[in-house]
Amino acid sequence: QVQLVESGGGLVQAGGSLRLSCAASGRTFSRYGLGWFRQAPGKEREFVAAISRSGGSTYYSDSVKGRFTISRDYAQNTVYLQMNSLKPEDAAVYYCAAGYFGGSSPQTEYDYWGQGTQVTVSS
């Protein structure tokens, strides 16, 4: 079992930055690929970014490529999402996820999900 707790969401002006954190419980953090997803009101949950178990590979949706950066800290059992140049369309609830086969976009690769953290971007 892995428990995931997101933090770092909030209100930011367009063009600003936020860093989301997701702390994972347990000793098997390094066994999982990790991802960030988001869901805006009235829309389906969508892939944002992912990082492989080794941390050597990262993947991004086209909508955030060049603006967002995913990283992981094995000592802290934490995955981060640095979000720069935020746009109003980035506003959503952001979820982190972990899966043994995780590390890319399909949600079916992920077995564990956090509760989400709200990101609001004002124009």
Side-chain angles (χ1 to χ4, degrees), residues 12-24:
V12 64
Q13 288 189 331
S17 298
L18 280 176
R19 188 176 79 156
L20 305 184
S21 301
C22 176

Side-chain angles (χ1 to χ4, degrees), residues 17-95:
S17 298
L18 280 176
R19 188 176 79 156
L20 305 184
S21 301
C22 176
S25 65
R27 301 180 181 179
T28 57
F29 179 75
S30 62
R31 295 184 184 179
Y32 296 99
L34 303 166
W36 285 96
F37 295 79
R38 67 187 182 188
Q39 187 168 22
K43 295 187 177 181
E44 293 186 353
R45 188 165 60 189
E46 64 175 3
F47 170 73
V48 176
I51 188 166
S52 62
R53 280 180 281 175
S54 70
S57 297
T58 56
Y59 303 90
Y60 298 92
S61 69
D62 289 342
S63 61
V64 308
K65 199 173 297 182
R67 300 188 297 121
F68 291 12
T69 303
I70 188 171
S71 60
R72 63 188 298 169
D73 184 329
Y74 295 91
Q76 299 294 324
N77 279 11
T78 299
V79 60
Y80 301 98
L81 186 68
Q82 177 67 44
M83 305 187 296
N84 299 328
S85 302
L86 281 160
K87 304 175 180 179
E89 53 263 43
D90 294 319
V93 177
Y94 282 71
Y95 300 91

Side-chain angles (χ1 to χ4, degrees), residues 91-107:
V93 177
Y94 282 71
Y95 300 91
C96 69
Y100 186 78
F101 296 104
S104 59
S105 61
Q107 297 188 39

